[in-house]
């Protein structure tokens, strides 16, 4: 039935954001026409959380996952990535955020929770 998911980042500067995804994060992609790049993402998972006060129902977040947040942070920092939050221990994982040039910021975390993804399962 469902064969995949398509994630969209809305950007004030789409070209700058696309270059970051390609050149810094190393995502491969295809040109869907007229330079409109669509990138492959690593395997993903989806979770549904209650809205709470911090995130009203209907809002959505993107978090990239890694195995070692300190190493990943150091590698990205060496490439000029600007982090907007220190690493925090949320219990379910270690979390930080970084800027995507031209497109705001996204989260990065090292999960401690069970995952349906084999490479993150414990």
């Amino acid at each position: 039935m469902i064969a995949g998911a398509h994630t969209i980042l809305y950007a004030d500067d789409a070209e700058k954001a696309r270059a970051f995804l390609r050149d810094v994060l190393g995502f491969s992609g295809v040109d869907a026409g007229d330079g409109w790049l669509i990138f492959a993402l690593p395997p993903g998972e989806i979770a549904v959380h209650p809205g709470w006060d911090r995130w009203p129902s209907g809002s959505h977040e993107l978090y990239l996952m890694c195995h070692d947040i300190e190493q990943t942070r150091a590698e990205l920092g060496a490439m000029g990535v600007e982090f907007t939050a220190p690493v925090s221990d949320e219990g379910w994982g270690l979390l930080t955020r970084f800027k995507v040039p031209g497109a705001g910021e996204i989260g990065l975390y090292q999960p401690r929770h069970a995952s349906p993804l084999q490479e993150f399962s414990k």
Side-chain angles (χ1 to χ4, degrees):
M1 179 175 18
I2 303 298
H6 184 88
T7 302
I8 299 172
L9 293 181
Y10 291 99
D12 292 328
D13 188 335
E15 290 303 316
K16 189 180 279 187
R18 291 174 185 145
F20 178 82
L21 295 175
R22 180 191 62 228
D23 301 337
V24 177
L25 297 185
F27 293 160
S28 62
V30 296
D31 187 329
D34 300 321
W36 194 279
L37 302 178
I38 298 177
F39 296 94
L41 290 175
E45 58 185 34
I46 188 168
V48 180
H49 293 239
W52 299 314
D53 293 336
R54 193 168 161 192
W55 297 284
S57 291
S59 63
H60 311 286
E61 289 279 325
L62 173 63
Y63 293 90
L64 298 178
M65 298 164 64
C66 63
H67 293 288
D68 183 327
I69 200 163
E70 294 299 340
Q71 178 182 344
T72 302
R73 190 171 189 222
E75 290 170 357
L76 291 173
M79 291 187 279
V81 173
E82 182 180 345
F83 284 84
T84 59
V87 174
S88 62
D89 186 337
E90 302 297 323
W92 45 263
L94 301 174
L95 175 68
T96 188
R97 299 184 69 79
F98 63 87
K99 287 187 178 181
V100 175
E105 59 183 58
I106 59 177
L108 172 70
Y109 85 103
Q110 177 183 330
R112 290 185 177 149
H113 58 75
S115 173
L117 300 174
Q118 185 175 12
E119 68 180 270
F120 285 98
S121 295
K122 295 183 179 190

